[in-house]
Amino acid sequence: MIQASRTEEPNSDFQITHSSFPNPQPILPLMSATWLRQARIISALVYIFLQITCFIFIIVCIVRFPRCQKAPTTEWWMNGVILRFSNHTLKFNDLTKSLKEHKTRFNMHAIWFRPVFPLSNQSNPLGWKDIDSSLGEETDLIKLMERARDENIRIIIDYPLNHVSIKSNYFRSYESYFVWNEQGNTSNWMTTNDNETSAWTYDKRKNSFYLHQFDNDNDSIDINYRNNRVFNDIIDSISYWNTKFHFDGYNLPGLSYAYEDYEYKNGTGNNQTRHLDEDYLLLARIRSEIDEKHILLFDSIDSLDTTDKTLLARYYGDQRKALGGVQLASLNDYILPNETETNLTKLFESYYHSTFYKQKQLFVWSSLSSNAILNEAFFATCLFHTGTISIDQQGSRLLDNQLHRLRTIMSHTRKEDVFRDGKIRQTILPGSTLLTIKRTRRGSKSYMIIVNFNDSDKNATIVDNDKPEKVEMFLNNENFCGNRSAKLRIIELKDSICLKPYGYIIIRWLPPTESLSIIF
């Protein structure tokens, strides 16, 4: 084959030489190598893309669904403390002057006061729109409200709804205001505080019987809500107090007795005079006057043993909030008269298995006991559950060191997520009947209270697989038996714990990966 070439010499001409082409190279291996390089590049790009996508997905999950999400904000009554003034002679000015002192001493959210309108000697209302002059003037009440706002303290008042005193002007002037029955002597309705006393009393002037479900030395008479004038007057009075003085809450004693069977039929257990449909409608009408930022307290439900979910839903408000209800209820069998009449361990066990606990219906934990050691242990235990404790300013008789410990617990129940949004587990330790309540929440310290509500020393070992071997002693009321020091900082759970009557300890610990920080 002929091939043209050029010599290296300058000005040389092209020369024609004979040569032969090399053998042709295979095309397929060259193409395979090219595609392989391209496949590698594409795979690398896909891998990088997937890595970036995965990284972005993880970031989004962390932002939207954090592992230790902050607990939601809760209303004050979820873990609230109310200071109740049972002294009916306390004046507005005296309370205004002592408000700051009470806040420092009790660390409360609210004060619970008697009705501000006039009362008879038996504490029954004489009217609904006037201020009781024995408490002070209208300007004095306004000053009290303003001072309470400055101290961030809420004021709740009693607002009896069921009856008035027979000494009121209503009794002689407006007969149709009340419930009368000419056949009252044949009725088996009894008073609420004495099942052997008839709820009907004969009035010679009218030649008829009037109803008084709350006996109070024959001083009370039930008002007739089936009279539209009565209904409207009560709603107008609530609107008046709410609009003019802006109270933060109202306790509604007698609400569930407001209506009665209009045919006065005989029944058993007050089933003709209590929990009628009209009672719920009255509550809903009151709720429409008072927004849900203001508390309504239902006083009271008879027993923890109720399994009537419909009854609770109607008083607390249905789930769709079509009818508003109360935020809290007071329970008759959960107001402690003294330590000898109430088995507190059984009472807490009853609550833990009650419809209230399962439905997350809140109520007020109260004590009228004069035993200060019992009251401290009782309130400390109540703070581990959800709800509000009511400390009677006179009856509880708590000492300064006891109040200091309770204030410490209160401050933690308000700020720690585990108390606002944690899980609760309550157990009674076998053999010792010591009560334990544990609060846990992912990412937060866990807390447990161990309390002896028995009248003798009790000894037990805490067995819990979720706790480390060593835990921090957070607080105790120095009621250990034996040689254990109340000032111990670390407790080994393999050792038994012995508590005197009404003694309690509170321990806490971190999740397992963080537990060493407690010890070191």
Side-chain angles (χ1 to χ4, degrees), residues 491-504:
I491 292 181
E492 294 190 13
L493 293 183
K494 65 181 181 180
D495 299 333
S496 63
I497 296 174
C498 184
L499 295 174
K500 295 179 180 178
Y502 311 124
Y504 70 87

Side-chain angles (χ1 to χ4, degrees), residues 353-420:
H353 297 288
S354 71
T355 305
F356 290 91
Y357 177 80
K358 296 174 183 177
Q359 298 294 319
K360 298 182 179 180
Q361 310 287 15
L362 306 182
F363 60 88
V364 178
W365 315 73
S366 303
S367 175
L368 299 178
S369 172
S370 59
N371 186 325
I373 300 177
L374 177 147
N375 283 326
E376 181 190 353
F378 173 70
F379 287 132
T381 307
C382 293
L383 286 167
F384 267 71
H385 281 297
T386 305
T388 296
I389 66 171
S390 172
I391 301 177
D392 189 276
Q393 191 267 343
Q394 288 185 315
S396 297
R397 300 179 183 178
L398 293 166
L399 303 177
D400 288 341
N401 62 335
Q402 294 177 308
L403 285 172
H404 174 73
R405 288 190 289 264
L406 288 177
R407 286 196 300 269
T408 301
I409 302 173
M410 293 172 194
S411 64
H412 279 74
T413 58
R414 294 175 189 177
K415 70 181 182 180
E416 296 282 352
D417 289 350
V418 69
F419 286 99
R420 299 203 310 271

Side-chain angles (χ1 to χ4, degrees), residues 78 145 302 361 418 427:
M78 298 289 286
M145 297 299 297
D302 288 331
Q361 310 287 15
V418 69
T427 57

Side-chain angles (χ1 to χ4, degrees), residues 286-304:
I286 294 172
R287 180 86 271 178
S288 69
E289 293 289 333
I290 302 171
D291 63 56
E292 293 190 356
K293 293 181 180 179
H294 297 76
I295 191 171
L296 288 181
L297 196 159
F298 174 40
D299 183 11
S300 60
I301 293 174
D302 288 331
S303 173
L304 279 170

